[in-house]
Each structure stands twice: as C-alpha cells, then as structure tokens.
C-alpha cells in the first residue's frame, strides 16, 4: 500500500499547491488538458482543482474509451448480442452505455441475450471452451492499455484452435486523438479549445512509452508531462507543466518514472504488432472520423475477427440533440453547460456516454462536483465554460 | 465491482505459477494475474495490473525517489513557513 498511500498524502499536497502558486504568473492564465479519464477522476475525487490557483484551468480530455465509442458501432454490437447463437462478452463499463432507441447491452440481456461481463479478456477463453456449440464474441474496446490483452486473447484462441471465438475490435490509439484536438478548427459558436500543455496518461504510456508524444512538443510547441494517477502525481505534473510554460519550453517530461520509460513495454508492443494493424480511418464519438486512429485485426487472424465472420451493419444514427457529450469530449464544454446534466441524465439513467463510464467527465462532475451550488460555481469561475 | 478501463494498481507478486501466471497481493487481497507482458518476474516484484494483465513492473527505486522528493518539498516548505511565522511559546 506504500506505493498508493504515499502518493495521496495531504501535507505534501498542500506543499505542492504552495509551490504551484509561487510558480504561476498571476498576469496570465494556464489551460492544461488532462487527456485521460483516470486523471479526471483523481482530480475530482481528491479535490485537486480546489488547490490550484484560479488562473490555472484543467480542461478534461477525451481519454475515456467508453465515451468515444461511436454509436453505430455500439448498435452493431447490440444487434450481434441479440443473435440467438451468440454469447457476447464485454467489460463491465460497456453494459449500461445507451445506444439508439434507449437500447443497451444490459437491456439486451434482459430480453434474453447471452451477455457476459468479464474483468479480464482471458476469461473469454474459458467461456469459449465450455460452450463449443455457441459463437463467443469478445467486445474489445479501449486505448493502448487494453489492446495487448486482446492481442494475447486472439493469439491464445488461435493456438488452442478455438474456432468459435471472435473479437469485435474497437481499439483506438491515444496520439491520434491528441492530434485531432490540436488540429480541431473549433465549432461555429465557440473558438478552438485552448490548451497550453498536456498531462499525459500514465498507463497508456507504460505500454507505448513517452516517445510517441515527442511530435506534439516539436510540431505544436505543446509540453507534455506524463503523470501517474494519484493526486500527488497530478499536482507534480501541473507544477512541471507550469515551469515549462513559464520558461517557454515544450518538452516531453515524465513524472511517472516508476512506471514509464521512453521505449515503453516492448513485449506488449510486439503482441499488438503481431495481431493488429492500423485502420485507414475510424469514427470517434465527439471527434468524428480520424485517420490512422484505431486498430483492426490482421488478415492472418481473420478467423477470429467478428467483423468478417458476421454481417455487422453500421447504420448512421442521430445523437440526442440535448446531449453535449461530443463537445464535452473535446474539452469545449463542461457538464454544467448541458441542460440535461444531473436532471434527465444521471448515472442511474444516463443519456450520454460521459455519464455512464466511471471515467466519464459527467460522471465525475455528478459524483464529486454536483454539491457545489450554481452560485459557488459562478464565483469559482470553473464550473462554467472557460 | 466498478471497473475502470485505464486505472491500474500496483500489486506485489507472492507466487509464481508458471506459464506467465502469478498470484499478486494488495492490502490482503490476492488475485491471479497474467504476466505475459513482463520479462523475468520474481517473487516480491511490484507489478502494475490492469484488467487482469500486468502492463509494467513498478520501479521501486524510482517510486522511492519520488516519495523522497515529496518529503523534502513538504519539509522545506514547512521550515520556510516557520521562519515567516515563528511560534511564540
């Protein structure tokens, strides 16, 4: 527990806050995006924002795999789960995500679909071995943290000759999403989201290393500090970013030295390279079609690719007009800017994906931030759009 | 159980089970973890585990360095504060 509790110490947090206040230039403001939903939750759970100066804003990024899954892909998954000979295997977070016409995997299960929840992708192997007469489909979602696990699952299914096991692959890549935010031209009614630096994800980076972010420092002049998921990690990363911005530097720095190297995990990377290749283009919820932003299964493992085994249709869908998830995912709006936040859309009956996932921004605001009154939010200046 | 996609916890290896499987412990809870992505796992190693897979080894030397740095920052600022506001006793 030392390596968890040690990074949550309140006295150190107060000292780091003091350091940050001393470093921050009161004559300017700072907009830092934490890419990952894990950081968003650490920030809310430990009240990190309240320790930061007013002129330092944290902009919440799209690093929540459940939130960025495009609705047509989710609809296709539910259609497949409803097939009588299919057992559909998913991580727990996906079960309650609302699809078109109020459907979800959980509701499909209530209608009789065989939908199973697993903690590890490898549990799918046992299910496939126990039910050789059924088609077992694993719903693979996530950033680079979960991709190697899916690769290992496919290799094991291949080795064991489990012909009834296939994977519906929705794995996405982090650098493509960061690039899309930096390239985003902004919406008609709001300018491009301003970002002075990034708090980089720790566990994604444990796999891919810190090298893939170097282009953002070089081409866009944006500093990136890779940070661990504990509150002191986040605060130290904020301090390091403020120092870089004040010095006019844009480098890749690593706060999470205990888990991340420049090269990353070569074994995990080799698993991914063996099984997957980049798709030419992939649709993200909130970010649209992004080139080279997602993985698909290589032809050598086509036997385990649900998209070639089944006739999966992706029909275009209309999003709920009131739901602001697409703008929230891009960091352009905050949950409190959404008229249905906390009223029609709650964790118990979510409308948008940002409210469902335990990493979603709306879920974090609802769980930790909704007790702040509108007045306090206005005085704070933080609850409202930047 | 609440599952979070990218959250992971550091756990300590307490048994090597062979074929890239280990038992790992945190706060008295033992779980079976795939170590297929980690080379040469030893007893007592700390692993960062995510969705049943160890994704990296926790570098204990680096973790201790960060904790020492935190302790120094806290001690330094407390001393500075006492210098500004000396206690009258």
């Amino acid at each position: 527990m030392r390596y968890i509790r040690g990074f949550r110490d309140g006295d150190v947090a107060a000292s780091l806050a003091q350091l940050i206040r001393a470093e921050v230039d009161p004559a300017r403001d700072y907009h830092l995006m934490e890419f990952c939903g894990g950081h968003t939750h650490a920030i809310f759970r430990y009240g990190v924002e309240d320790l930061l100066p007013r002129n330092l804003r944290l902009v919440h990024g799209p690093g929540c795999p459940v939130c960025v899954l495009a609705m047509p892909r989710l609809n296709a998954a539910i259609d497949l789960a409803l097939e009588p000979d299919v057992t559909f295997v998913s991580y727990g977070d996906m079960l309650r995500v609302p699809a078109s016409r109020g459907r979800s995997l959980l509701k499909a299960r209530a209608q009789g679909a065989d939908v199973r929840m697993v903690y590890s992708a490898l549990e799918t192997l046992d299910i496939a071995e126990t039910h050789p007469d059924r088609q077992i489909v694993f719903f693979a979602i996530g950033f680079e943290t979960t991709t190697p696990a899916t690769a290992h699952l496919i290799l094991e299914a291949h080795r064991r000759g489990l012909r009834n096991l296939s994977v519906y692959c929705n794995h996405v890549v982090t650098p493509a999403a960061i690039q899309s935010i930096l390239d985003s031209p902004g919406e008609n009614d709001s300018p491009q989201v301003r970002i002075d630096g990034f708090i980089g994800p720790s566990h994604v980076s444990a796999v891919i290393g810190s090298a893939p972010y170097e282009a953002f420092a070089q081409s866009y002049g944006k500093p990136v500090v890779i940070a661990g998921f504990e509150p002191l990690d986040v605060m130290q990363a904020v301090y390091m970013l403020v120092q870089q911005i004040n010095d006019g530097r844009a480098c890749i720095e690593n706060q999470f030295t205990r888990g991340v190297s420049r090269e990353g995990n070569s074994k995990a990377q080799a698993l991914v390279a063996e099984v997957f290749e980049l798709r030419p283009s992939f649709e993200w919820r909130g970010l649209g079609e992004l080139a080279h932003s997602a993985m698909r299964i290589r032809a050598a493992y086509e036997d385990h690719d649900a998209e070639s085994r089944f006739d999966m249709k992706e029909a275009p869908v209309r999003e709920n007009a009131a739901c602001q998830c697409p703008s929230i995912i891009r960091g352009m709006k905050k949950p409190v800017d959404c008229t249905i936040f906390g009223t029609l859309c709650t964790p118990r009956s979510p409308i948008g994906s940002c409210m469902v996932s335990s990493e979603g921004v709306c879920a974090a605001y609802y769980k930790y931030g909704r007790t702040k009154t509108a007045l306090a939010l206005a005085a704070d200046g933080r609850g409202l759009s930047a | 159980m609440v599952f979070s996609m990218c959250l992971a916890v550091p756990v300590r290896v307490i048994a090597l089970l062979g074929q890239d499987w280990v038992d790992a412990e945190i706060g008295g809870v033992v779980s079976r973890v795939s170590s297929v992505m980690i080379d040469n796992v030893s007893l007592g190693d700390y692993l960062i585990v995510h969705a049943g897979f160890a994704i990296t080894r926790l570098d204990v030397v680096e973790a201790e360095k960060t904790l020492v740095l935190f302790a120094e920052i806290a001690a330094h600022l407390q001393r500075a504060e006492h210098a500004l506001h000396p206690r009258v006793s």
Side-chain angles (χ1 to χ4, degrees):
Chain A
M1 295 301 266
R2 173 171 171 77
Y3 298 122
I4 295 182
R5 286 208 189 110
F7 296 91
R8 294 180 182 172
D9 185 281
D11 290 338
V12 179
S15 303
L16 282 170
Q18 209 176 322
L19 271 187
I20 293 168
R21 276 197 299 275
E23 183 68 29
V24 158
D25 176 358
R28 59 160 297 168
D29 51 11
Y30 300 80
H31 293 240
L32 310 180
M33 173 176 270
E34 88 274 5
F35 177 82
C36 183
H39 282 138
T40 307
H41 269 259
I43 287 162
F44 277 89
R45 183 174 170 193
Y46 298 100
V48 171
E49 270 194 323
D50 296 335
L51 292 170
L52 300 176
R54 289 273 165 81
N55 58 337
L56 196 155
R57 300 273 170 87
L58 294 175
V59 183
H60 316 303
C64 158
V66 171
C67 307
V68 296
L69 182 70
M71 195 88 98
R73 308 271 305 175
L74 179 58
N75 282 334
I78 294 173
D79 288 340
L80 186 57
L82 285 163
E83 290 291 325
D85 60 339
V86 166
T87 293
F88 200 76
V89 181
S90 170
Y91 290 127
D93 262 18
M94 282 313 299
L95 296 190
R96 293 171 60 246
V97 181
S100 296
R101 302 191 303 282
R103 300 193 308 167
S104 70
L105 283 169
L106 202 62
K107 286 181 185 166
R109 183 155 82 170
Q111 289 167 17
D114 186 3
V115 177
R116 315 266 180 107
M117 185 180 104
V118 291
Y119 168 65
S120 164
L122 291 184
E123 292 170 51
T124 316
L125 293 168
D126 297 337
I127 299 172
E129 271 171 350
T130 323
H131 303 283
D133 53 323
R134 294 187 61 80
Q135 286 292 330
I136 314 300
V137 182
F138 178 67
F139 193 14
I141 68 156
F143 287 89
E144 292 89 335
T145 358
T146 44
T147 315
T150 308
H152 183 59
L153 167 69
I154 291 173
L155 288 172
E156 268 300 293
H158 190 72
R159 190 181 69 77
R160 297 190 198 179
L162 290 170
R163 303 184 66 87
N164 63 331
L165 193 159
S166 60
V167 169
Y168 184 33
C169 178
N170 292 280
H171 286 298
V172 284
V173 297
T174 300
I178 295 184
Q179 173 131 18
S180 125
I181 286 168
L182 287 169
D183 288 342
S184 158
E187 286 173 330
N188 298 332
D189 55 341
S190 55
Q192 184 182 14
V193 55
R194 181 183 143 194
I195 296 161
D196 302 317
F198 288 94
I199 300 173
S202 53
H203 297 140
V204 162
S205 309
V207 173
I208 67 173
S210 62
Y213 306 102
E214 284 163 12
F216 303 119
Q218 283 157 12
S219 313
Y220 294 89
K222 304 291 183 191
V224 180
V225 175
I226 294 159
F229 276 136
E230 299 299 339
L232 297 187
D233 292 324
V234 175
M235 295 192 68
Q236 192 189 1
V238 166
Y239 178 63
M240 291 163 78
L241 280 169
V242 170
Q243 281 184 315
Q244 281 206 44
I245 294 166
N246 287 353
D247 298 350
R249 287 182 295 132
C251 312
I252 309 304
E253 290 181 326
N254 182 11
Q255 183 276 334
F256 194 59
T257 50
R258 63 191 189 275
V260 170
S261 63
R262 184 173 182 275
E263 296 74 27
N265 183 333
S266 56
K267 262 184 128 175
Q269 290 166 10
L271 283 171
V272 171
E274 168 66 25
V275 175
F276 296 109
E277 61 189 4
L278 281 173
R279 293 176 193 260
S281 174
F282 194 70
E283 188 194 344
W284 293 53
R285 195 174 190 189
L287 302 178
E289 285 281 339
L290 301 183
H292 307 298
S293 65
M295 302 305 237
R296 70 177 174 208
I297 298 168
R298 285 186 189 276
Y301 299 99
E302 196 181 20
D303 287 354
H304 299 287
D305 187 349
E307 284 178 86
S308 38
R309 181 172 303 187
F310 303 99
D311 179 26
M312 302 190 72
K313 291 196 183 67
E314 289 179 43
V317 294
R318 254 209 327 239
E319 298 264 356
N320 183 314
C323 173
Q324 298 294 326
C325 276
S327 303
I328 290 167
I329 285 166
R330 274 177 300 182
M332 304 183 98
K333 288 191 175 162
K334 304 235 168 183
V336 287
D337 300 329
C338 176
T339 48
I340 57 172
F341 169 77
T343 53
L344 283 173
C345 183
T346 64
R348 278 182 82 100
S349 67
I351 288 174
S353 52
C354 302
M355 188 60 97
V356 181
S357 168
S358 53
E359 289 171 275
V361 179
C362 294
Y365 264 70
Y366 189 87
K367 190 168 181 191
Y368 303 111
R370 91 196 130 98
T371 45
K372 279 192 178 181
T373 61
L375 207 62
L377 285 168
D380 210 12
R382 275 201 198 102
L384 307 170
S385 49
Chain B
M1 189 187 71
V2 176
F3 173 77
S4 284
M5 192 61 64
C6 285
L7 291 183
V9 284
V11 297
R12 192 171 51 88
V13 176
I14 56 166
L16 304 170
L17 307 173
Q19 295 185 322
D20 296 322
W21 286 94
V22 300
D23 273 343
E25 180 264 349
I26 179 167
V29 179
V30 177
S31 55
R32 192 145 297 179
V33 170
S34 169
S35 59
V36 69
M37 297 173 204
I38 314 290
D39 277 322
N40 308 321
V41 177
S42 314
L43 283 179
D45 279 357
Y46 282 86
L47 303 174
I48 296 179
V49 171
H50 169 73
F53 284 81
I55 53 168
T56 186
R57 192 182 265 110
L58 182 117
D59 186 330
V60 173
V61 176
E62 287 294 333
E64 291 294 343
K65 273 192 212 166
T66 307
L67 288 172
V68 166
L69 177 70
F70 285 162
E72 282 173 2
I73 290 169
H76 177 76
L77 288 178
Q78 269 160 22
R79 270 202 304 277
E81 204 156 277
H82 290 160
L84 284 172
H85 308 285
R87 285 200 180 161
V88 183
S89 55

